[in-house]
Amino acid sequence: MSEIEPSIDTIATQLVRLHRLRDRTMAQVKDRSGIDPAGFVVLFRLVCDGPMRSGALAEAVHSDASTVSRQVAQLVERGLVVRTADPDDGRATVLQVTDHGREVAARIRVRRQESVAVVTEQWSSEDRAVFAALLTRFVTDYDRARPLLAARTPALSTTENLS
């Protein structure tokens, strides 16, 4: 294996650290809201992209249909999403955010923005702008590279630890 640039190792380590911190935070949020963190992703995708079939939603959130079905059921039960007839095919249904769902999503978005503001309150506006641009670039490039990453990642044995 060739020598890895130190900044690459730092980025990889900090992404694992961020993921763990986010998981802990999201578990606490779920306890207060009753909505699974993955449900937030589904709700926001429907808010941003509009009504869509379950299969298209699963693709949009990079998940499998059965997982999205469970998340949607949770959102429907809470009155955040409804199933309506697909105007293009009456045999199928589309998922649509309710007014209540839009209100909840707006509150979550404000809370998320407030959280990021707290984390970055000691940063200059310039630092926040640079970070926003670099993070957007990283996520866009990560999404673009996902097929290559999936093809290149070898299966790990159960004794290997990524952290």
Side-chain angles (χ1 to χ4, degrees):
M1 181 175 179
S2 62
E3 189 170 325
I4 299 293
E5 181 182 326
S7 59
I8 296 295
D9 186 51
T10 299
I11 291 167
T13 300
Q14 293 306 312
L15 285 172
V16 170
R17 184 174 171 221
L18 177 62
H19 184 73
R20 287 182 175 164
L21 289 167
R22 184 184 175 280
D23 283 350
R24 285 187 219 131
T25 303
M26 293 308 287
Q28 293 168 337
V29 168
K30 179 187 177 198
D31 289 343
R32 289 191 303 248
S33 72
I35 300 174
D36 188 281
F40 291 140
V41 173
V42 168
L43 181 62
F44 280 106
R45 192 76 277 136
L46 287 169
V47 167
C48 293
D49 294 347
M52 67 180 81
R53 290 184 180 188
S54 187
L57 180 58
E59 257 185 59
V61 299
H62 310 293
S63 189
D64 63 86
S66 63
T67 300
V68 168
S69 179
R70 285 191 304 275
Q71 295 159 351
V72 166
Q74 179 189 97
L75 297 173
V76 168
E77 182 180 307
R78 287 175 172 71
L80 305 174
V81 170
V82 293
R83 291 181 178 93
T84 60
D86 186 332
D88 298 327
D89 180 356
R91 299 168 297 170
T93 61
V94 293
L95 304 165
Q96 186 170 343
V97 179
T98 64
D99 289 341
H100 177 58
R102 289 187 190 290
E103 291 167 11
V104 168
R107 285 197 307 268
I108 293 168
R109 187 173 191 176
V110 166
R111 191 170 44 223
R112 188 174 56 196
Q113 291 168 343
E114 290 170 346
S115 296
V116 172
V118 166
V119 170
T120 62
E121 69 185 350
Q122 299 299 315
W123 297 21
S124 69
S125 293
E126 181 179 305
D127 283 348
R128 282 191 294 272
V130 167
F131 182 70
L134 288 172
L135 185 59
T136 299
R137 179 179 173 190
F138 180 84
V139 172
T140 299
D141 289 347
Y142 187 94
D143 191 33
R144 178 191 44 75
R146 276 183 326 105
L148 175 65
L149 297 173
R152 292 181 57 178
T153 304
L156 298 176
S157 72
T158 56
T159 58
E160 290 180 282
N161 184 353
L162 292 176
S163 53

